[in-house]
Amino acid sequence: KLAPRKTTLHSSLSNNDDDDVLNKLSAELKELAECTSLIYSYLSKPDKSVSVEDVVLACDAVDASSKLRQKSHEFGRYQLLVKLLKSDYDAYVKTAEFLSPSRIPRGELPNVQDVVYVPFTAAAVNEDDATEETTVDTNVAVTTVTGEDGQPLVADCTLEELAYNDSPLDKLLLSIFRNLVTTHTGGVTSDIPGIKGLLAQGRQYMTMELPEGVTYEDHTKAQHTMVKNTLGGLMTPVLPPFYRIFMSGIVPKLGTDYDGKQIGPWFYAPWLTSMVTPTFFGFLVGPSKPNRRSDGQRGGLVVEKCKFLQESGCKGLCLHQCKLPAQEFFKEELGLSLTVKPNFVTQECQWSFGEEPVDVVEDDSFPKGCLVGCDSRKIMAGRKSTDVLCM
C-alpha cells in the first residue's frame, strides 16, 4: 500500500520540475523575442533621425539592464553611434567626447580618430561615501615646449607603455621584414633584436649623412621607396596581382582594350582588408581591430597603441617609414586608397581603407614639429633643412 504513495509523490515532484523547466524556457524565449525586437528598433531607425538624446537614452538602458538585454542595448548604442557618424561627423565627435569614457568605454566607440582622449573622470568620495564629481577645467593654459632651434615641439605620449606579446608569426614576419630593409637600404642593419632593432635600422637610414647635392627632402622620397619595396617583397610577387584583380577590380593583361583599367574597388574590399590586416601587420603596429571609417562605413582599423610609434618616439619615422609609404603603396601597387591617421596623444592609429588621404601639409590633425623626447632630433642637431622630416 505504500508503493502507490511513493509513486504519486515522485510523479508530483516530476511534474513540478517539468513546470519549472517550461516556465524558465518560456521566460527565456520571451526575453529573446523582446531583445530581438529591441535590436530591430535600433537597426531600423533612420540615420538622419538619430540624436544625442537617443544615444544618452541607450546609455541609460545599458546601465539599467543586465545579461542579454544589456548586450542588446550595447549593440543598439553602437548602431546609433554609427548612424550619427554617417549623418553628422561633428555631432558624433561631440557626442563621443561627452559620453566617453564616463558612459561609453573608448574601445566601444566606432571611430576615435578625432575624439579627444580623456584619461579618467576626476572624483572625490565624501564622508557619506557618496561620489562627488569634480569639474575639469579645459581652459588651463598649456606651456609650449620649444626645441633647440626655438621651434615648438609636440608633447610625448604620457600613457603607460603597452607590453607586446609577439606570436611566432609576428617574429617570422619581423625577421623577413628586417632582412628586406637591409637589402633595400644598401646594407643598413642592427644587432638589436626585435622591433627596436628594426627602428634602429630605420633611424640610421633616416638620419644618415647625405652626399653633396642631395637634400633631406630628396631623402624622404628615398625612404618611401625603401618601405614600398620592402612591403612589396613581404607580400611576395603573388599577392599584389591577386589583390589588384579580386579586391581593387583592376583588369589584368588579357590582350583587350580594358587591360589595366580599374572598374573597382569592389564593395567588399575595404571591409575585407580591415579584417585581414590585424593578423599580418601586428608585428609592426601591435594589436588592432576593425572599426568604422570617419564616414561611418566599414573598412576602418584602429591600432590600440602603435608599436612602431611607442618604441620609436619619432614623428619622422612614423611619417616617412609608415604613414606616407603605406598610403602610397596601397594606392599605387594595390589600387585601393588608404588614409593613416596617427594620434600622438594616445599613440592610437586609425587606418581607413578606401578613403582618400589628405595631403599631410594641409592636414590640421597632423601636428607640426618634432616630439619632445625624440632621439632623432638629437642626432640631426646642427644639420640644415631637416624640418621636412617631421613636417
Side-chain angles (χ1 to χ4, degrees):
K1 292 181 180 179
L2 293 175
R5 293 181 183 178
K6 289 182 179 179
T7 303
T8 303
L9 180 59
H10 176 75
S11 176
S12 176
L13 291 173
S14 178
N15 289 337
N16 288 337
D17 289 342
D18 290 343
D19 289 341
D20 289 343
V21 171
L22 288 173
N23 288 336
K24 287 181 180 179
L25 180 60
S26 177
E28 290 177 0
L29 288 174
K30 181 181 177 181
E31 179 72 359
L32 180 61
E34 290 179 356
C35 288
T36 302
S37 178
L38 276 174
I39 291 173
Y40 177 77
S41 67
Y42 282 119
L43 290 173
S44 61
K45 192 173 183 64
D47 293 358
K48 293 185 178 180
S49 68
V50 175
S51 65
V52 178
E53 184 180 1
D54 293 326
V55 181
V56 173
L57 290 174
C59 289
D60 293 339
V62 169
D63 295 339
S65 306
S66 61
K67 298 182 178 179
L68 182 60
R69 191 174 290 262
Q70 185 179 59
K71 294 296 182 183
S72 300
H73 283 299
E74 288 176 350
F75 175 84
R77 180 178 65 188
Y78 184 88
Q79 296 305 316
L80 291 179
L81 287 167
V82 169
K83 292 172 184 289
L84 189 60
L85 181 60
K86 290 179 180 178
S87 61
D88 190 337
Y89 183 74
D90 291 337
Y92 164 79
V93 171
K94 291 178 181 177
T95 302
E97 290 177 347
F98 175 65
L99 295 173
S100 180
S102 60
R103 304 294 304 277
I104 307 175
R106 188 173 177 87
E108 294 180 15
L109 295 173
N111 183 283
V112 296
Q113 69 180 40
D114 291 317
V115 178
V116 174
Y117 175 76
V118 180
F120 58 86
T121 301
V125 179
N126 61 24
E127 295 179 353
D128 297 325
D129 291 329
T131 301
E132 179 184 351
E133 292 190 358
T134 60
T135 302
V136 179
D137 186 2
T138 58
N139 295 316
V140 177
V142 178
T143 302
T144 301
V145 180
T146 57
E148 299 80 359
D149 56 358
Q151 296 299 313
L153 301 177
V154 178
D156 293 320
C157 174
T158 58
L159 301 183
E160 183 179 354
E161 289 197 351
L162 184 65
Y164 302 102
N165 297 315
D166 292 339
S167 68
L169 177 62
D170 291 333
K171 294 176 182 178
L172 174 63
L173 291 174
L174 180 59
S175 176
I176 295 171
F177 196 86
R178 290 192 61 178
N179 288 333
L180 288 168
V181 167
T182 300
T183 299
H184 295 298
T185 55
V188 175
T189 187
S190 171
D191 293 330
I192 302 172
I195 186 69
K196 292 187 177 181
L198 172 65
L199 293 168
Q201 289 175 265
R203 196 188 306 275
Q204 183 181 342
Y205 186 62
M206 182 181 74
T207 60
M208 65 188 297
E209 292 280 1
L210 301 179
E212 186 70 27
V214 179
T215 66
Y216 279 103
E217 184 173 3
D218 298 329
H219 190 52
T220 59
K221 296 175 183 177
Q223 290 181 70
H224 299 176
T225 300
M226 179 272 292
V227 175
K228 288 186 286 186
N229 288 339
T230 301
L231 289 173
L234 185 68
M235 294 186 74
T236 75
V238 176
L239 290 179
F242 179 88
Y243 191 99
R244 285 196 293 268
I245 296 170
F246 295 103
M247 301 286 271
S248 298
I250 298 176
V251 179
K253 294 181 179 180
L254 301 172
T256 69
D257 294 338
Y258 297 99
D259 288 6
K261 292 185 178 180
Q262 185 168 8
I263 55 178
W266 305 120
F267 68 93
Y268 54 79
W271 168 75
L272 192 55
T273 304
S274 71
M275 297 297 290
V276 173
T277 300
T279 301
F280 297 101
F281 275 85
F283 77 96
L284 279 177
V285 299
S288 61
K289 64 179 181 179
N291 70 345
R292 299 296 182 114
R293 304 183 319 203
S294 60
D295 61 1
Q297 300 300 323
R298 298 182 189 276
L301 177 80
V302 62
V303 178
E304 180 181 345
K305 199 169 191 290
C306 181
K307 182 194 297 187
F308 197 89
L309 183 55
Q310 174 182 288
E311 300 301 333
S312 70
C314 178
K315 265 185 67 194
L317 286 172
C318 169
L319 180 64
H320 295 297
Q321 295 187 24
C322 184
K323 173 182 164 62
L324 293 181
Q327 291 177 172
E328 293 170 5
F329 179 79
F330 267 85
K331 182 65 174 180
E332 297 167 7
E333 301 300 324
L334 302 181
L336 182 69
S337 299
L338 167 66
T339 294
V340 178
K341 298 197 75 168
N343 183 328
F344 295 100
V345 175
T346 63
Q347 292 181 339
E348 297 165 320
C349 190
Q350 175 69 36
W351 289 51
S352 297
F353 299 99
E355 182 178 284
E356 289 291 339
V358 178
D359 189 303
V360 68
V361 178
E362 301 171 0
D363 187 357
D364 294 333
S365 68
F366 194 87
K368 306 298 184 288
C370 190
L371 290 172
V372 172
C374 179
D375 291 331
S376 302
R377 186 178 73 258
K378 300 169 186 175
I379 297 173
M380 300 295 289
R383 302 187 198 178
K384 296 181 179 180
S385 303
T386 61
D387 56 332
V388 70
L389 297 179
C390 294
M391 302 302 293

